[in-house]
Amino acid sequence: VGMFLLAILGILAAIALPAYKDYRLRAHASAAIAQAQAQQPAVTAFLAAHERCPENGDEGFGEADDYADTHLSSIVFGEFEGSDYCGLEATISAPDMDDLDGSVIWLEYDADAGTWECTSDVADSRLPVFCQG
């Protein structure tokens, strides 16, 4: 009976531990995106007022490292290579999660449509649906 119970516990642990790790990665990525999204109103307001993309150091925008917090190590503002949209590039800070640490999230604003697009180099399985693809 003891060996049977030990085997069952081993099987449960083999299933639960990877699922928990994946949950932690998804939760951290979602929190990082939410932290970056908090800067979206400032980007749209600056664009409307100045008719150009904000950059780090502009009025109301600190240096990239000034945005370091629980889930992000930096945010760079501007227009990025290969894109015609204003936006921000947020770098994820997750020192204990090698699959996420240093990964990047791009939030770009399409002023004509009035919408934000989210992309990332994080695996889609670890991102909210609106940021996948």
Side-chain angles (χ1 to χ4, degrees):
V1 174
M3 288 295 278
F4 179 72
L5 187 56
L6 189 59
I8 295 295
L9 288 174
I11 292 169
L12 289 174
I15 294 169
L17 290 177
Y20 177 69
K21 178 186 175 193
D22 192 51
Y23 163 77
R24 285 186 62 226
L25 290 168
R26 285 192 323 267
H28 197 91
S30 293
I33 291 169
Q35 192 174 333
Q37 285 176 318
Q39 301 304 318
Q40 290 175 324
V43 172
T44 56
F46 187 94
L47 179 61
H50 300 280
E51 297 181 1
R52 70 174 179 86
C53 294
E55 295 179 0
N56 295 86
D58 282 336
E59 182 181 337
F61 294 87
E63 296 303 316
D65 294 344
D66 293 347
Y67 297 91
D69 203 344
T70 309
H71 303 288
L72 296 177
S73 60
S74 66
I75 296 179
V76 175
F77 296 93
E79 188 175 305
F80 302 103
E81 187 176 327
S83 174
D84 294 328
Y85 301 132
C86 286
L88 59 95
E89 177 183 272
T91 303
I92 297 174
S93 174
D96 60 335
M97 300 176 195
D98 292 340
D99 293 348
L100 282 183
D101 194 38
S103 296
V104 179
I105 301 158
W106 293 275
L107 297 173
E108 296 180 291
Y109 182 64
D110 180 347
D112 293 335
T115 59
W116 283 87
E117 180 181 323
C118 178
T119 56
S120 179
D121 62 2
V122 174
D124 280 351
S125 64
R126 298 197 171 113
L127 293 170
V129 173
F130 70 88
C131 200
Q132 294 178 3

